[in-house]
Amino acid sequence: MWDEGWMAAAAIVVFGLAGLVKGVVGLGLPTVSMALLAIFMPPAQAAGLLLLPSLVTNLVQLRPVAGLLPLLKRLGWMQLGIVLGTLGGMALWGGVGSLPAARTALGLALVVYALWGLCGPSLQVPLRHQAWLGALCGLLTGGMTALTGVFVVPAVAFLQSLGLARPALMQAMGLCFTTSTLALGVGLLWLGQGLGPQGEGSAAGLLASALMLIPALAGMHWGELLSHKISAIGFKKLLMLSLLGLGAYLCW
């Protein structure tokens, strides 16, 4: 069994690795961290640790602020869907990881996400359909967040179908991930989940989450430096294969 010392050391390594991935490809911190943390701690506790590293790294990704307002107008319905889906799902299912099938659902979400990243078709959503499809996608993403703590499926696939330039796509992902993190945090506080080793108090949980900022930001910094030296496409393929293996392991 994992004692608290080993769990803390393992969590530091996980967030450093997840930050590195985010620095290289612009996403993956919540996905990688939840996938690896779920191996040795309950999903709700993992989601609690994820809150501040995810929020801060995604706020960094929101730059430049000048382009944020037009993007928010375009994706506003999607953000509303994310919030409603997350809070509604947590109210319905009793919080992250509460259902017996939550671990399997997380594994399936990772498998679907990895397969999409490896061989998914390149779609283009017409502008006239983006509002309602964005709201629907937000609801589905929020429901997946409430169940598993992971908020990339199907949000990233939808954002990639909007035909955004790479800087705008990175900013759009930062916006959606920030909304998901805030909604997840509100839900966890509301239900008293994931705030400490057994969810017994918010102060200890927030402090632990804040400490995970250090390896996450350090990993993100090194990842940004590394991104100039390696192929982002090749690295993303390696990441997707790794997530496919992790997802299969969690399903099994």
Side-chain angles (χ1 to χ4, degrees):
M1 294 294 291
W2 294 79
D3 60 33
E4 289 188 17
W6 278 109
M7 287 177 68
I12 290 171
V13 174
V14 166
F15 277 102
L17 178 61
L20 181 74
V21 170
K22 186 174 181 67
V24 174
V25 297
L27 71 160
L29 189 144
T31 311
V32 172
S33 55
M34 282 298 296
L36 293 175
L37 291 174
I39 296 174
F40 56 89
M41 67 173 60
Q45 187 180 348
L49 277 181
L50 171 67
L51 287 179
L52 289 179
S54 178
L55 180 61
V56 172
T57 55
N58 286 316
L59 286 174
V60 171
Q61 193 172 332
L62 281 175
R63 300 171 300 173
V65 180
L68 187 57
L69 185 58
L71 197 63
L72 185 58
K73 288 180 179 178
R74 185 173 181 180
L75 299 175
W77 286 107
M78 185 180 183
Q79 309 315 300
L80 179 60
I82 288 172
V83 173
L84 293 178
T86 303
L87 297 181
M90 293 183 79
L92 181 64
W93 295 317
V96 177
S98 296
L99 294 183
R103 183 183 175 92
T104 303
L106 174 56
L108 287 174
L110 293 175
V111 168
V112 170
Y113 176 54
L115 289 175
W116 180 273
L118 287 169
C119 53
S122 180
L123 302 176
Q124 185 75 34
V125 177
L127 184 61
R128 66 182 182 276
H129 296 310
Q130 289 179 10
W132 72 268
L133 277 175
L136 177 60
C137 180
L139 281 170
L140 293 174
T141 300
M144 185 60 68
T145 302
L147 185 61
T148 68
V150 171
F151 35 80
V152 295
V153 181
V156 172
F158 174 77
L159 294 175
Q160 289 174 334
S161 73
L162 300 182
L164 298 170
R166 179 173 172 79
L169 176 61
M170 298 285 281
Q171 193 174 35
M173 289 193 295
L175 173 63
C176 292
F177 296 162
T178 298
T179 302
S180 293
T181 303
L182 289 172
L184 178 63
V186 169
L188 289 173
L189 289 172
W190 172 35
L191 296 176
Q193 270 199 314
L195 303 175
Q198 283 81 39
E200 72 276 5
S202 60
L206 290 175
L207 176 59
S209 184
L211 290 175
M212 292 303 110
L213 267 172
I214 299 172
L217 288 173
M220 188 175 178
H221 171 71
W222 286 107
E224 289 173 347
L225 295 177
L226 190 61
S227 67
H228 300 295
K229 299 181 179 181
I230 65 173
S231 166
I233 295 175
F235 185 85
K236 186 177 180 180
K237 286 184 178 179
L238 178 61
L239 169 64
M240 293 303 168
L241 287 171
S242 300
L243 291 179
L244 183 61
L246 274 172
Y249 169 79
L250 290 173
C251 288
W252 176 73

